């Protein structure tokens, strides 16, 4: 529902959105301690981002950092996270993406630790809002290997599992990127319960899957692939 919203927020709107998303991520347990990071573009070449070593549930606007797409700080006194390179890599690879969220939701991260794509055809919202969520190989934190591991998935998908690490979602605005994080975690939890706890589930037929993908396209969501 958000795919075609491409207007940039103002600086003030972006800062308020980041604080709101940070609180939601923290309250839902998608992050613990100082985990995770959030960013949103406010122009073709600038963005606001969260600082390093701060809980996403307790941020204030003065902690946020304005940067350019080369990683230069334009405004703010706090230090950006080394993981901002993931965000910058996504933005530079695909300019239509305007916001990125990184977190460690428990069930989504469990798939990432297993090194397994999230691609079941059992939940309508999973197919329509996300599609396939591939798992990237593990990359050592704080190195350029992290953004490199993500870039192959940016053009064709809406999110990626970071091997043995967490989850990265993106969108045309920050609420879309965040809602994809919520959907991914809800989807992963249902997959775990139905396939690995109850061990009893029904998959969509090819015809049903075609219908759900058509709905996804009608919502303006053109990434996501086809669950196997």
């Amino acid at each position: 529902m958000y795919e075609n919203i491409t207007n940039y927020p103002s600086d003030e709107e972006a800062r308020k959105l980041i604080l709101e998303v940070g609180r939601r991520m923290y309250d839902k347990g998608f992050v613990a301690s100082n985990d995770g990071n959030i960013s949103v573009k406010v122009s073709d070449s600038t963005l606001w981002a969260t600082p390093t070593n701060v809980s996403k549930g307790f941020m204030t606007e003065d902690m946020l950092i304005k940067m350019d797409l080369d990683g230069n700080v334009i405004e703010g006194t706090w230090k950006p996270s080394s993981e901002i390179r993931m965000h910058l890599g996504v933005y530079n690879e695909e300019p239509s993406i305007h916001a990125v969220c990184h977190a460690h939701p428990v069930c989504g991260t469990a798939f990432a630790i297993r090194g397994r794509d999230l691609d079941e055809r059992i939940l309508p919202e999973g197919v329509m809002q996300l599609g396939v969520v591939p798992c990237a190989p593990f990359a050592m934190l704080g190195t350029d290997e992290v953004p490199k591991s993500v870039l192959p998935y940016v053009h064709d998908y809406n999110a990626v599992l970071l091997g043995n690490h967490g989850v990265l979602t993106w969108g045309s605005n920050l609420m879309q990127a965040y809602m994809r994080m919520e959907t991914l975690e809800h989807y992963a939890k249902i997959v775990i319960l139905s396939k690995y706890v109850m061990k009893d589930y029904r998959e969509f037929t090819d015809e049903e899957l075609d219908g759900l993908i058509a709905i996804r396209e009608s919502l303006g969501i053109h990434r996501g692939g086809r669950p196997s």
Side-chain angles (χ1 to χ4, degrees):
M1 62 184 290
Y2 300 104
E3 187 77 11
N4 293 322
I5 302 175
T6 56
N7 293 332
Y8 291 116
S10 67
D11 287 342
E12 181 179 4
E13 289 169 337
R15 292 192 299 265
K16 290 184 182 303
L17 278 168
I18 288 175
L19 296 188
E20 174 65 22
V21 168
R23 282 191 292 268
R24 293 190 186 197
M25 285 171 52
Y26 183 80
D27 289 345
K28 284 187 169 289
F30 294 171
V31 289
S33 185
N34 300 331
D35 295 350
N37 32 76
I38 305 160
S39 69
V40 57
K41 289 169 68 175
V42 289
S43 75
D44 288 347
S45 58
T46 57
L47 60 108
W48 283 91
T50 50
T52 191
N53 292 326
V54 172
S55 168
K56 302 306 163 294
F58 297 92
M59 293 184 297
T60 55
E61 285 193 29
D62 62 293
M63 296 175 179
L64 304 181
I65 306 150
K66 191 174 186 179
M67 308 177 71
D68 64 25
L69 292 185
D70 292 322
N72 300 307
V73 175
I74 299 171
E75 188 175 335
T77 58
W78 289 65
K79 183 180 178 181
S81 167
S82 63
E83 292 184 334
I84 192 64
R85 284 179 285 186
M86 270 195 304
H87 300 238
L88 297 175
V90 169
Y91 294 136
N92 284 307
E93 182 71 16
E94 180 47 73
S96 68
I97 294 172
H98 290 181
V100 176
C101 292
H102 168 52
H104 304 157
V106 172
C107 294
T109 302
F111 274 86
I113 289 171
R114 192 180 177 194
R116 187 188 183 287
D117 297 349
L118 184 58
D119 65 348
E120 278 72 14
R121 47 163 76 190
I122 62 174
L123 183 71
E125 290 75 16
V127 176
M128 293 187 298
Q129 298 297 333
L130 285 172
V132 175
V133 183
C135 186
F138 174 71
M140 184 54 64
L141 306 189
T143 72
D144 289 335
E145 295 308 307
V146 177
K148 288 179 181 177
S149 73
V150 169
L151 297 188
Y153 307 99
V154 170
H155 295 293
D156 298 324
Y157 300 99
N158 300 302
V160 66
L161 304 174
L162 306 170
N164 288 88
H165 182 178
V167 174
L168 194 72
T169 59
W170 48 79
S172 59
N173 60 67
L174 185 51
M175 287 311 297
Q176 184 184 57
Y178 169 70
M179 289 301 181
R180 285 174 172 166
M181 184 71 70
E182 277 200 3
T183 298
L184 189 152
E185 178 65 359
H186 189 63
Y187 183 25
K189 191 178 298 183
I190 288 172
V191 171
I192 289 170
L193 286 172
S194 61
K195 296 191 75 171
Y196 303 112
V197 177
M198 298 173 67
K199 298 182 180 180
D200 187 17
Y201 57 94
R202 175 189 175 274
E203 294 185 332
F204 296 127
T205 65
D206 287 345
E207 183 178 359
E208 290 167 338
L209 192 60
D210 289 340
L212 292 170
I213 291 174
I215 294 173
R216 185 174 73 199
E217 292 285 329
S218 74
L219 295 172
I221 302 172
H222 303 295
R223 301 182 179 95
R226 182 184 179 87
S228 59

